[in-house]
């Protein structure tokens, strides 16, 4: 017969598991919603620490090399704030680097998270599916309501693109972040469907739904990753169903042409391609002034060159980058106070060599574990996906990016590791 203490531990393990399910379901909803459920999960983790400290601590010691990198990354932020005697409020978003791995550890490593991991991933896929349906219904209703008579539909849609694509469509979060979440969901249902238990017909419907959503999100990075994911799926799976090589290659080529054709029809993307082509063809072409990203990267590199070892520090990074924008005549970037839009440059610029090393430590540790992980391919897919987006966004400067990465990182690496 179980003791009262054992019953309490089981109760909080179950509560922690279900609060994690709710968090994953709400991850694509307005941010504050998932923060509440995440807080409940972390509270359950804290209670489990209190009731079973010895056992949990032993498990933690066995995988210290997985947990320590993110904790170290947070400590760099803390040390920087203390040295520069700045406000601790700067650490508010970054606290997830500390709280999620430590307080969430008992939940991630519980038998419920291990045995019912498919429920966790299914919750996430269901949540982002609901949001995609909501956004598509909303935008289609707006298009039908706003469309004037006497003008070609696509001409009108391109003229009013800002209202229906990108930020006009993704009203709950930044388009790039939504594109990241959709592509991760696609990876789960197309390549790791055993972890979501979806029937083939549902996979087809949801894939189509996510694809349409991504076209409205109109994220260049998001569509690029979508193209690679779907193409890889077709290459692997069509070969099993189509033995005729000509038909097989015909379907692949048809997908490539259709995807490229539809992408170019998005005004935001076609304008970018035309502008980039024009600037490269110009006699006064400079890579640093190719587009907004290159201007941000160039400015960040100049700041890094000034303090390559220790960086500018957390409180001074933004101001110093703005000064560099002004110096180079990048007035729009200065007015908007844009960050480096590259987490690797951001880490080096802010914390110097220690920032880059701790970031790489966090990302590369799972890649070296190999067969020690139950689902190494799943973890590798997450690291490759997040690393790509870190190249074009400073995702760990925002709570949304940190929360997404921390939850799936430790769910994949700890929740499925035999410890």
């Amino acid at each position: 017969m179980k003791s009262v203490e054992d019953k309490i531990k089981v109760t909080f393990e179950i509560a922690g598991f279900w609060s994690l399910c709710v968090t994953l379901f709400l991850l694509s909803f307005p941010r504050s919603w998932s923060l509440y459920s995440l807080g409940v999960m972390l509270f359950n983790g804290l209670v489990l620490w209190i009731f079973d400290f010895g056992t949990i601590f032993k498990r933690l010691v066995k995988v210290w090399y997985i947990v320590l990198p993110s904790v170290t990354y947070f400590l760099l932020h803390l040390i920087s704030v203390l040295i520069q005697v700045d406000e601790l409020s700067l650490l508010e978003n970054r606290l997830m680097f500390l709280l999620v791995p430590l307080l969430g550890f008992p939940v991630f490593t519980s038998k419920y998270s291990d045995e019912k991991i498919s429920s966790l991933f299914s919750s996430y896929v269901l949540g982002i599916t609901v949001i995609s349906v909501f956004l598509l219904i909303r935008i289609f209703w707006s298009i039908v309501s706003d469309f004037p008579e006497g003008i070609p539909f696509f001409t009108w849609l391109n003229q009013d693109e800002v209202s229906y694509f990108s930020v006009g469509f993704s009203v709950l979060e930044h388009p790039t972040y939504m594109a990241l979440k959709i592509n991760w969901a696609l990876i789960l249902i197309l390549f790791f469907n055993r972890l979501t238990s979806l029937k083939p017909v549902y996979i087809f419907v949801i894939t189509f739904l996510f694809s349409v959503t991504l076209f409205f999100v109109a994220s260049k990075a998001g569509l690029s990753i979508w193209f690679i994911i779907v193409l890889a799926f077709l290459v692997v799976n069509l070969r099993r169903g189509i033995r005729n090589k000509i038909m097989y290659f015909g379907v692949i080529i048809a997908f490539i042409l259709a995807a490229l054709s539809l992408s170019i029809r998005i005004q935001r993307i076609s304008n970018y391609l035309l502008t980039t082509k024009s600037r490269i063809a110009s006699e006064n072409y400079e890579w640093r002034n190719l587009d907004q990203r290159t201007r941000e990267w160039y400015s960040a590199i100049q700041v890094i060159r000034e303090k390559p070892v220790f960086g500018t520090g957390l409180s001074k990074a933004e101001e110093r980058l703005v000064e560099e924008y002004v110096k180079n005549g990048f007035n729009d970037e200065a007015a908007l106070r844009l960050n480096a839009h590259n987490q690797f440059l951001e880490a080096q610029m802010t914390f110097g060599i220690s920032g880059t090393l701790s970031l790489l430590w966090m990302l590369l540790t799972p890649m070296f574990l190999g067969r020690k992980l139950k689902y190494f391919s799943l973890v590798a897919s997450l690291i490759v996906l997040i690393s790509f987006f870190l190249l074009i966004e400073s995702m760990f400067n925002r709570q949304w990016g940190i929360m997404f990465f921390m939850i799936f990182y430790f769910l994949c690496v700890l929740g499925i590791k035999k410890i």
Side-chain angles (χ1 to χ4, degrees), residues 64-335:
W64 65 268
Y65 48 86
I66 294 176
V67 178
L68 188 58
S70 67
V71 174
T72 302
Y73 197 63
F74 169 77
L75 291 177
L76 286 178
H77 290 77
L78 176 61
I79 292 170
S80 177
V81 168
L82 293 177
I83 290 176
Q84 295 182 335
V85 194
D86 216 315
E87 296 181 4
L88 291 176
S89 59
L90 286 172
L91 299 175
E92 181 179 350
N93 291 342
R94 278 79 170 188
L95 270 172
M96 285 195 180
F97 284 117
L98 179 70
L99 298 181
V100 172
L102 294 183
L103 295 186
F105 185 82
V107 178
F108 290 128
T109 57
S110 73
K111 67 175 183 179
Y112 299 97
S113 296
D114 185 19
E115 295 174 357
K116 299 182 179 181
I117 192 170
S118 61
S119 298
L120 294 170
F121 286 122
S122 296
S123 297
Y124 171 72
V125 172
L126 178 60
I128 198 166
T129 300
V130 170
I131 287 299
S132 297
V133 170
F134 164 75
L135 291 176
L136 288 173
I137 291 176
R138 172 189 168 274
I139 210 66
F140 286 147
W141 178 264
S142 297
I143 290 174
V144 171
S145 302
D146 298 341
F147 177 58
E149 297 181 1
I151 182 174
F153 176 75
F154 286 105
T155 301
W156 168 79
L157 189 62
N158 283 333
Q159 290 174 349
D160 296 272
E161 180 193 25
V162 68
S163 301
Y164 308 109
F165 292 86
S166 191
V167 293
F169 175 79
S170 183
V171 294
L172 299 180
E173 63 181 323
H174 191 283
T176 303
Y177 289 78
M178 186 173 187
L180 165 65
K181 292 176 180 179
I182 291 176
N183 277 307
W184 175 236
L186 279 172
I187 289 173
L188 289 174
I189 65 175
L190 293 178
F191 295 99
F192 302 97
N193 183 47
R194 63 187 182 279
L195 298 178
T196 58
S197 304
L198 289 173
K199 295 180 179 179
V201 63
Y202 293 131
I203 292 177
F204 175 80
V205 171
I206 294 175
T207 299
F208 177 78
L209 177 70
F210 285 164
S211 299
V212 175
T213 304
L214 275 173
F215 274 91
F216 275 98
V217 170
S219 164
K220 296 184 290 292
L223 285 172
S224 299
I225 292 296
W226 167 84
F227 178 78
I228 293 172
I229 291 172
V230 177
L231 181 61
F233 178 78
L234 291 176
V235 169
V236 171
N237 289 276
L238 278 180
R239 187 175 297 176
R240 301 171 185 171
I242 302 178
R243 296 184 178 181
N244 186 303
K245 292 184 177 180
I246 296 178
M247 184 179 295
Y248 169 77
F249 285 110
V251 173
I252 297 296
I253 293 173
F255 165 74
I256 294 174
L257 294 177
L260 294 177
S261 177
L262 288 172
S263 298
I264 293 175
R265 286 181 179 273
I266 300 174
Q267 196 72 13
R268 182 172 183 266
I269 294 177
S270 62
N271 287 344
Y272 172 79
L273 294 175
L274 290 173
T275 302
T276 302
K277 182 179 178 181
S278 175
R279 287 176 177 171
I280 292 177
S282 173
E283 294 181 359
N284 299 321
Y285 161 69
E286 292 181 322
W287 76 264
R288 66 176 184 173
N289 203 26
L290 184 60
D291 68 358
Q292 178 185 303
R293 286 289 194 286
T294 58
R295 291 190 286 272
E296 292 161 349
W297 297 343
Y298 174 81
S299 300
I301 291 172
Q302 302 315 303
V303 176
I304 290 171
R305 291 176 63 183
E306 293 179 358
K307 295 184 177 181
V309 179
F310 298 108
T312 63
L314 184 60
S315 63
K316 296 181 180 178
E318 180 180 311
E319 194 62 40
R320 183 62 196 87
L321 191 56
V322 170
E323 292 173 0
E324 192 64 33
Y325 289 146
V326 173
K327 176 182 175 182
N328 290 284
F330 304 150
N331 297 322
D332 290 341
E333 287 74 14

